[in-house]
Amino acid sequence: MGYRRLGKAGRVYLEEGSETIVRKISKIIFDCDGVLLSVNKSYREAIRKTVDHYFKKILRLKGEGGLVTRFDIQRFKDTGHYNNDWQLSHSLVAFYLAILFRKLHERSALSGFMEEFGELQFDNVENFTAKLSKIGDYCSQQGIGVQHLLSLKANKVLGIASFLEKFSNVEEALGQILPYPNSDQVALIQKLVPYNSQGDDLLKRLFEEIYLGGSLFSRFYGISPFFKFKKGLIEKEQLIPSKKTLSLLNARLGKFGVYSERPRSQGLYVIEQMGVTRYFDEKALYFYDDLAQFAGRGCDAAPKKTGKPDPSEFIALADKMLGTVDVGAYVGDTVSDVLLVRNAREKGLENIAFIGTLSSSSRRRELFSKYEMYAADAIIMDANDLPFLLEKLS
């Protein structure tokens, strides 16, 4: 049906067929990252630093230049499949390892690499990173450095864009980059970057230490940091909606819910640090830990099977918070968020609207188009536009 702009500033847009449901909104459920909290300098920067640290500091590949840009990250986010930043980081590392294998093959050195490193097994971070450091020596002998990984990044057949088209089958996505794809090569790539979303690993451990810094990492995980990052990127996060905005919304709609894939302890910590705990219903706060527990998933859970855009856990929160009387709005900032609500509606959750924010994206026009494609009920610049939207329709 199209969207009409409310007001002259171009910050608020309403889908023509959604006025009735938006007018009835009586509860709000927020996504956390990018909606309540600015994460461009924290979580998204942690993705970039994780990939760079893995290749430059752990593998010790030589060369200049960053492997990941914010534009790259947004492209992953815009697929709707990479809401989890651990998974996104893991996929980027796997992508570049496949390119590394291809470059080794071009120098007739891949078989030797497979022989030397094919039996690597993750035991603990200290021992495993020591073993991985030898990869840099091997690559240096073949004249391979960071610039060689970057050389295929924009390739139409082997680059990131093509890789993202094969999300549903990681083996196929890696296979299109590998010179002669086989299960041994794909298996070795997975072994070189151990990732267990709920257990001991390398990828999540590195990411969390970068994001939290040493002190908070010890506090939340109960173990000493290994990588020794002093200050965490979490300290750069800021509240997006002002306290005035939250107060206005609270007076109108009561306390808010949260549905986020951020770890619970970290989510509650930041909300407390920002001094806004009083605005949230403690019984309606769903974080990563709650999603995994709800689904009965153990430590061997596949990373891509937890959370957005699968609506199962979200429906449970909405039923608990809204019942059959209230109409809720989920406020999100990514394609996975609008898909979450669309999928929930397809499973029978009718009393929920989706309001998409644009401020966290580096490709706002593209994100607006995605929201439009999936029929977001309203599109706003950021959460501070919510009072205006609701007031305009009252």
Side-chain angles (χ1 to χ4, degrees):
M1 290 187 180
Y3 288 78
R4 63 184 175 94
R5 188 176 68 185
L6 304 181
K8 297 181 179 180
R11 294 178 60 95
V12 180
Y13 296 84
L14 178 69
E15 208 272 340
E16 293 288 356
S18 297
E19 182 170 338
T20 299
I21 192 171
V22 174
R23 189 187 303 274
K24 292 180 179 179
I25 289 171
S26 54
K27 298 287 184 182
I28 287 183
I29 303 171
F30 284 107
D31 182 22
C32 188
D33 306 325
V35 177
L36 288 174
L37 300 169
S38 61
V39 294
N40 285 334
K41 295 181 180 179
S42 59
Y43 268 131
R44 298 203 177 190
E45 182 67 4
I47 295 170
R48 191 187 68 77
K49 286 183 176 292
T50 295
V51 179
D52 274 356
H53 191 94
Y54 177 86
F55 285 99
K56 295 181 177 182
K57 302 296 184 181
I58 296 178
L59 266 56
R60 298 184 184 177
L61 291 187
K62 296 180 180 179
E64 300 297 325
L67 291 165
V68 181
T69 66
R70 291 185 180 179
F71 178 78
D72 298 328
I73 295 169
Q74 192 63 48
R75 292 172 75 181
F76 274 76
K77 293 287 186 181
D78 286 348
T79 66
H81 298 296
Y82 287 92
N83 189 70
N84 186 304
D85 291 341
W86 298 333
Q87 180 195 349
L88 200 163
S89 302
H90 177 264
S91 295
L92 277 165
V93 172
F95 165 77
Y96 278 119
L97 283 173
I99 291 180
L100 177 62
F101 280 27
R102 190 174 189 88
K103 292 299 181 180
L104 287 167
H105 172 74
E106 291 174 358
R107 290 161 173 74
S108 301
L110 181 56
S111 59
F113 183 91
M114 297 286 292
E115 289 180 10
E116 184 164 345
F117 301 104
E119 300 302 318
L120 280 181
Q121 294 290 338
F122 179 80
D123 45 6
N124 60 64
V125 173
E126 183 174 4
N127 291 339
F128 193 72
T129 52
K131 296 172 185 176
L132 289 180
S133 67
K134 297 178 182 178
I135 290 178
D137 296 332
Y138 188 95
C139 291
S140 291
Q141 293 171 8
Q142 309 304 321
I144 297 175
V146 171
Q147 69 275 16
H148 296 95
L149 302 188
L150 288 168
S151 66
L152 293 180
K153 179 178 175 180
N155 187 280
K156 292 183 179 179
V157 177
L158 305 174
I160 284 180
S162 183
F163 179 82
L164 289 176
E165 293 176 358
K166 302 293 193 301
F167 167 81
S168 60
N169 189 325
V170 175
E171 185 170 343
E172 182 182 354
L174 295 175
Q176 70 186 8
I177 304 171
L178 293 167
Y180 297 108
N182 59 55
S183 57
D184 290 341
Q185 292 178 21
V186 174
L188 180 54
I189 286 176
Q190 300 294 357
K191 286 165 64 176
L192 291 177
V193 55
Y195 169 39
N196 183 338
S197 63
Q198 298 183 47
D200 191 23
D201 73 341
L202 172 61
L203 187 283
K204 184 187 71 177
R205 174 72 176 270
L206 174 59
F207 184 100
E208 288 295 278
E209 290 200 31
I210 289 172
Y211 172 67
L212 293 171
S215 178
L216 282 181
F217 178 82
S218 295
R219 171 176 171 175
F220 291 132
Y221 286 93
I223 56 178
S224 299
F226 172 74
F227 293 103
K228 311 300 182 186
F229 298 102
K230 293 182 179 179
K231 296 189 69 174
L233 296 173
I234 190 174
E235 297 181 25
K236 296 185 177 183
E237 292 178 346
Q238 295 180 333
L239 192 65
I240 294 176
S242 67
K243 291 183 180 179
K244 179 181 179 181
T245 293
L246 294 177
S247 180
L248 287 171
L249 292 172
N250 178 247
R252 181 187 183 106
L253 305 173
K255 292 189 175 183
F256 319 125
V258 170
Y259 187 85
S260 169
E261 291 191 44
R262 179 185 286 248
R264 167 171 277 271
S265 58
Q266 298 176 26
L268 295 179
Y269 168 81
V270 176
I271 288 174
E272 182 179 348
Q273 289 294 109
M274 298 295 175
V276 294
T277 305
R278 65 186 180 277
Y279 296 116
F280 295 89
D281 180 355
E282 62 179 12
K283 296 180 180 180
L285 304 179
Y286 274 43
F287 291 98
Y288 181 84
D289 323 50
D290 306 296
L291 309 187
Q293 183 178 11
F294 177 92
R297 297 172 181 128
C299 293
D300 295 328
K304 69 179 182 181
K305 294 187 181 298
T306 299
K308 305 171 186 178
D310 184 287
S312 304
E313 299 92 335
F314 180 75
I315 291 172
L317 169 59
D319 286 343
K320 179 179 180 180
M321 189 173 179
L322 305 176
T324 58
V325 178
D326 291 311
V327 172
Y330 184 58
V331 186
D333 72 315
T334 64
V335 175
S336 65
D337 292 327
V338 67
L339 289 175
L340 172 73
V341 172
R342 189 188 71 163
N343 293 341
R345 284 172 168 170
E346 289 178 352
K347 289 185 176 292
L349 184 66
E350 297 180 353
N351 55 334
I352 191 73
F354 177 76
I355 300 175
T357 70
L358 297 169
S359 60
S360 69
S361 176
S362 59
R363 305 201 307 170
R364 291 176 183 172
R365 289 185 179 179
E366 290 85 349
L367 182 56
F368 191 104
S369 296
K370 290 282 189 177
Y371 286 156
E372 192 172 24
M373 179 189 306
Y374 294 117
D377 295 291
I379 303 171
I380 60 178
M381 184 57 64
D382 62 46
N384 288 297
D385 297 309
L386 284 169
F388 176 82
L389 170 66
L390 299 178
E391 183 65 28
K392 197 73 175 175
L393 296 180
S394 61

